[in-house]
Amino acid sequence: MTATTAGPGKAAAAGAAEERKVAVVEPLYVASAGVVSAAGLGLDALAERLLGGGEAHDEPVGEDAAEYPPRPVRAVRGLDVKEHLGRKGTKYLDRLTSFGLISCKAVLEGIEVDGARTGVVLATNTGSVSTHSTLLHDTLTLEKPYLVNPGRFPNTVMNSTTGQIAIRNGLRGLNATVAGGQTASLLAFRHARLALSLGRADRLLVGGVEELSAPAAWAWHRTGVLREGAALGEGAAVFTVQPDRPAGGELAELLACESRFTPDPRDYADGLAVAVSRALERSGVEPGEIDVVSLGAVHQRGLEAVERRGVRVALGGAPSATLRIADALGETYSASGSMQLAGLLALWKAQPPVTPVTALITSVGWDGNAAALVVRSPR
């Protein structure tokens, strides 16, 4: 990123403002991707689902499957953790950590890693809701509180997944967990861009992870935030992000990522429009150059209209094409921004564009946060 300073006086301030206005960020490159979703493992499985193939199941899985509310669920199925990670140290892994570890194993495959200069920036909401609820239940129902399973305690920490990723893969660089609700994944990409620009790392694993559980499903169901019939989802999408173009070619270029907080719900659409306009400006991209918009709030009552209005304001009209990843994978909340990026990459890999495509990923939350990321397909 480019920083500018100005001397005193209105003319200097105006000049500095103009200089900041035209400052364009250098692209970051996505070298690889690891995806765990209801579509299966990897970008190919996701592309098949998005292009109309693959079978979509709407029933929950796991020991608490019978306790879910009457709502469609797009769960990750048939995932044998031991097959992917081995038996050692996997006995007490929750779904959240398992998704993160498996996606990161895929993203690092075939890459020579400098552990000292490689880090992790991962988005989540509260960590593993299922682990929290299980320990709380055991504490209240067992004869003595200290009889709860101690092996589950590490998973109650919000940054447990990033810690496990770093330990298992020997990554000693920056290690950050970003909790930002609906916009968490895009905030993670913004954090990663800042860290890389400051030289905190040479390469970062960036993405988001979310798990399904009966308690979380009931929370969504009772609040009435989601449209009737909207499915809940889970999974992880993690990407290798670096400032240097990969020798084997990139999956995408990440341009600017901007965020905005708006305290008044009546102004949420305007807040998103500001975030989008800033991201376009910092990317050196005109509104009319956006070929497709990947929307994040497509299943949320009220927010869906807010997001569409904010995008229209920023682009000067409705986008020519949209991608609704939640229709295929369900609502993945803090991991949704990463899944939105994964969807774009999956389609570009399956059907390479004839000419470079410029995409916009948007996210807006009920807490007033909004974010936008500009992405370009491989040249």
Side-chain angles (χ1 to χ4, degrees):
M1 292 186 178
T2 302
T4 60
T5 58
K10 293 184 178 180
E18 181 64 23
E19 187 177 350
R20 284 195 298 270
K21 182 178 179 180
V22 298
V24 176
V25 299
E26 293 294 326
L28 299 176
Y29 298 96
V30 178
S32 58
V35 181
V36 177
S37 73
L41 300 183
L43 294 177
D44 293 340
L46 181 54
E48 183 181 2
R49 175 68 60 85
L50 293 174
L51 294 172
E55 185 178 1
H57 299 275
D58 287 333
E59 302 80 23
V61 298
E63 296 178 357
D64 62 350
E67 301 171 14
Y68 275 69
R71 176 176 288 278
V73 168
R74 302 283 167 80
V76 175
R77 298 174 180 277
L79 190 66
D80 188 336
V81 176
K82 292 182 176 60
E83 178 184 341
H84 292 277
L85 303 177
R87 304 185 65 85
K88 184 178 180 180
T90 58
K91 183 177 181 179
Y92 296 118
L93 290 182
D94 53 35
R95 290 178 71 79
L96 188 87
T97 306
S98 298
F99 294 161
L101 288 171
I102 291 172
S103 60
C104 285
K105 179 184 177 183
V107 89
L108 290 172
E109 188 173 355
I111 295 179
E112 186 176 344
V113 178
D114 177 2
R117 298 292 297 168
T118 303
V120 185
V121 181
L122 197 66
T124 185
N125 181 29
T126 58
S128 176
V129 174
S130 62
T131 300
H132 283 92
S133 58
T134 298
L135 281 175
L136 177 60
H137 179 270
D138 289 349
T139 300
L140 297 175
T141 57
L142 296 179
E143 291 186 13
K144 296 178 180 180
Y146 55 76
L147 293 179
V148 298
N149 190 335
R152 295 186 181 275
F153 270 108
N155 296 329
T156 64
V157 182
M158 187 180 70
N159 62 346
S160 173
T161 301
T162 57
Q164 288 270 11
I165 291 170
I167 292 169
R168 282 178 171 265
N169 295 286
L171 309 180
R172 304 186 300 279
L174 170 74
N175 193 278
T177 300
V178 179
Q182 192 77 31
T183 61
S185 283
L186 295 194
L187 297 179
F189 281 107
R190 179 164 170 75
H191 185 88
R193 171 169 280 284
L194 178 61
L196 289 170
S197 69
L198 293 175
R200 296 285 305 279
D202 295 332
R203 175 188 289 141
L204 290 172
L205 306 188
V206 190
V209 59
E210 196 68 83
E211 68 171 7
L212 277 169
S213 66
W218 274 108
W220 280 107
H221 189 65
R222 288 298 190 188
T223 57
V225 169
L226 298 182
R227 290 189 291 103
E228 185 176 355
L232 298 172
E234 65 176 352
V238 180
F239 312 89
T240 306
V241 178
Q242 57 192 58
D244 300 322
R245 189 185 295 273
E250 72 274 13
L251 294 177
E253 294 181 11
L254 302 184
L255 303 181
C257 185
E258 295 292 327
S259 62
R260 172 83 172 184
F261 172 71
T262 307
D264 191 338
R266 294 171 296 183
D267 299 328
Y268 281 1
D270 292 335
L272 176 60
V274 170
V276 171
S277 296
R278 286 178 174 175
L280 293 175
E281 182 180 10
R282 297 285 284 153
S283 300
V285 173
E286 295 296 327
E289 295 178 308
I290 293 297
D291 300 298
V292 58
V293 177
S294 181
L295 301 166
V298 297
H299 286 169
Q300 301 201 26
R301 288 191 173 102
L303 279 187
E304 181 176 4
V306 166
E307 185 174 37
R308 287 188 174 276
R309 189 162 65 251
V311 169
R312 284 199 307 270
V313 170
L315 299 185
S320 56
T322 59
L323 175 63
R324 297 162 55 97
I325 191 69
D327 287 345
L329 303 183
E331 174 57 61
T332 52
Y333 198 42
S334 61
S336 59
S338 294
M339 292 298 185
Q340 288 167 256
L341 176 59
L344 290 170
L345 268 56
L347 292 176
W348 292 341
K349 182 181 178 184
Q351 299 177 340
V354 177
T355 58
V357 172
T358 304
L360 174 68
I361 298 174
T362 58
S363 183
V364 59
W366 287 108
D367 55 1
N369 281 308
L373 171 64
V374 182
V375 186
R376 184 175 289 133
S377 64
R379 296 174 184 268

